Each structure stands twice: as structure tokens, then as C-alpha cells.
Amino acid sequence: LNADPKNIYYLVAAVEELVEDQDFAAAGAFAAKLLADHPGEFRAVATAARLECKAGRPAAGLALAEKYAQAADPGAGDHLTRSG
């Protein structure tokens, strides 16, 4: 993570590991960086939304997912538009 702090795979792994440990505050910091560095990336949004749900904030998780869905571009093959 120190060698490549914007690497989406490292950031997702950090969030998931911290969520597993129920360290939601630290996971939130990584999720914020993930969304800042990869704002339109499905994996970033999904990871942040799962964090919100696991932290007991399902409405915040749903809001993230809905925001992604509203911004999805069918011409670009965005995830939610591909799945119908």
C-alpha cells in the first residue's frame, strides 16, 4: 500500500480487512480514499457500500449504490447497465 497508495486492489483489500476486524472508522478512511481516487469504479463504490452496511448504515450504502446507478453510462459498459 505504501508503494502504490492509489492501487484499487490494495485499497479494497484494506477496507475489507478492516471491516472484517470491525474497525469501521479506519475502514471509512480507506473507503474515502478509494472513492476519491476511483470515483466511477464499480469496485470502489461496492466496497464503500458494503462498509456502510456492515457498519450499520444501510441507508448510506444504498445512497452510494443509487448514486453510481444514476451516473452509469450504458455506452461505456458500466456494470449496472450491463446487468440490466
Side-chain angles (χ1 to χ4, degrees):
L1 190 58
N2 289 335
D4 189 4
K6 291 187 177 191
N7 185 307
I8 191 168
Y9 298 107
Y10 295 160
L11 291 169
V12 166
V15 172
E16 290 175 347
E17 186 67 29
L18 290 164
V19 166
E20 186 175 315
D21 293 342
Q22 295 186 358
D23 188 349
F24 301 121
F30 279 103
K33 179 155 180 48
L34 186 59
L35 290 172
D37 292 342
H38 307 281
E41 174 64 47
F42 176 76
R43 287 173 292 174
V45 175
T47 300
R50 279 193 302 275
L51 160 63
E52 294 297 342
C53 291
K54 294 275 187 168
R57 300 181 296 265
L62 179 60
L64 281 169
E66 287 177 343
K67 182 178 173 186
Y68 174 83
Q70 290 170 354
D73 180 1
D78 286 345
H79 183 270
L80 291 179
T81 58
R82 282 186 279 138
S83 63

